[in-house]
Amino acid sequence: MKHTPAISVVMPVHNGASYIREAIDSILIQTMPDFELIIVNDGSTDESGTIARSYADRRISVIDFPVNKGCYPARNAGMRQAKGKYICVMDSDDVCKKHRLEVQYNFLENHPEVGLIGGAYQPMNVYYTIFREKDHETIKLMLMRFCYLRHPTCMARTSLIEKHNLYYDERYIYAADYDWQVKAASLFAVSNVNESVLLYRSHDQQITTSKSNEQAVFADRIRLHQLSFLGIEPTEDEQRLHLNFIKGRLWGSIDMTYQWMERLLEANRKYQYYNPPLFRDFLEATQLSITKAVNEHE
């Protein structure tokens, strides 16, 4: 009988020869060895594919795209091939801490109500760790602003991905991970582990750097889409007002921002999507920061 791994690690790569060996090695030395590593070679023109295939480890499989299709089509291909109970997100330029798989596997095993987790992480070449909130309701609020879970620290239940068809929406070309997290949080509990599980690398070729303007456009669409959870279909002016409000910026007048905040609160009273006390505190803190910035400017 063929062994079914506990975890499927999905790692897309496009011209990542400079970093991919370090990323692969960080998976192979994990304290939990019960995994498969699915590398999706996304039309690389460098040595990425050759490096991926150079490992004599039966846990590694490589999917080759003849042309570059993009990060999220590559992730989707890897996820659809995954056989593990859990799917672990990994980037080809990051490095996993050696206990990552064990820590996140144990968390999900002990918290069956949670479907998706992220974790704390360290930017490379620094000595501090960035922690994120664990509470599901707080995470939903933070997702109103930005892609809150550090994406390459994520691990999800394969059964829920399949049940909800929770693959990346490839129309959000540079921000599908943000949309993926928002959808997940609307369907089941999401959380974070309070241990550092990843060394995160920043460089000029990353989407967040090389496609920052395009990514911002898609991210705004996702921010606006979340208003549908409150039954709100905003006008163009309301879209501008909301996007500025949620980022702590003034658009129009202070009175308009107060009125918008009340609109959001009233909608949530009806739909109960966000925890009401937390939602009020979140919006009031946002309003206060806007008002303070305006007063200081005057």
Side-chain angles (χ1 to χ4, degrees), residues 3-52:
H3 174 67
T4 300
I7 299 171
S8 296
V9 181
V10 176
M11 180 194 296
V13 58
H14 174 68
N15 291 345
S18 299
Y19 309 119
I20 189 174
R21 189 177 297 279
E22 191 176 4
I24 294 172
D25 290 346
S26 75
I27 298 295
L28 296 182
I29 64 169
Q30 289 291 302
T31 56
M32 180 178 182
D34 189 12
F35 64 83
E36 64 174 344
L37 172 57
I38 303 169
I39 301 172
V40 186
N41 180 25
D42 184 21
S44 296
T45 55
D46 65 2
E47 295 300 310
S48 295
T50 301
I51 294 170

Side-chain angles (χ1 to χ4, degrees), residues 86 107-115 157 160:
Y86 303 113
F107 183 95
L108 287 168
E109 288 289 290
N110 293 324
H111 298 83
E113 76 284 1
V114 176
R157 296 184 188 274
L160 292 177

Side-chain angles (χ1 to χ4, degrees), residues 88-207:
C88 172
V89 177
M90 181 61 183
D91 285 348
S92 62
D93 51 1
D94 294 328
V95 175
C96 280
K97 297 290 189 72
K98 66 179 181 180
H99 61 276
R100 175 192 177 172
L101 298 187
E102 182 178 6
V103 166
Q104 294 192 297
Y105 175 85
N106 288 339
F107 183 95
L108 287 168
E109 288 289 290
N110 293 324
H111 298 83
E113 76 284 1
V114 176
L116 169 67
I117 56 170
Y121 63 96
Q122 290 175 256
M124 283 196 181
N125 302 317
V126 299
Y127 298 100
Y128 60 84
T129 299
I130 297 175
F131 295 91
R132 293 283 163 89
E133 294 284 347
K134 293 179 63 176
D135 177 64
H136 170 60
E137 293 297 336
T138 302
I139 290 171
K140 283 202 300 183
L141 291 171
M142 298 309 296
L143 284 169
M144 292 182 72
R145 286 186 176 148
F146 65 101
C147 186
Y148 186 67
L149 278 65
R150 175 58 71 179
H151 190 241
T153 71
C154 285
M155 185 180 289
R157 296 184 188 274
T158 307
S159 60
L160 292 177
I161 290 173
E162 293 173 347
K163 175 182 177 180
H164 298 290
N165 196 32
L166 193 60
Y167 298 96
Y168 296 93
D169 187 336
E170 296 169 15
R171 293 172 296 180
Y172 292 113
I173 301 172
Y174 302 116
D177 53 341
Y178 185 13
D179 173 70
W180 187 68
Q181 291 182 24
V182 168
K183 287 178 179 174
S186 74
L187 294 166
F188 44 75
V190 300
S191 187
N192 278 295
V193 295
N194 274 341
E195 289 190 53
S196 179
V197 297
L198 188 81
L199 293 174
Y200 179 79
R201 191 190 307 271
S202 297
H203 55 85
D204 292 342
Q205 283 72 50
Q206 288 174 307
I207 288 175

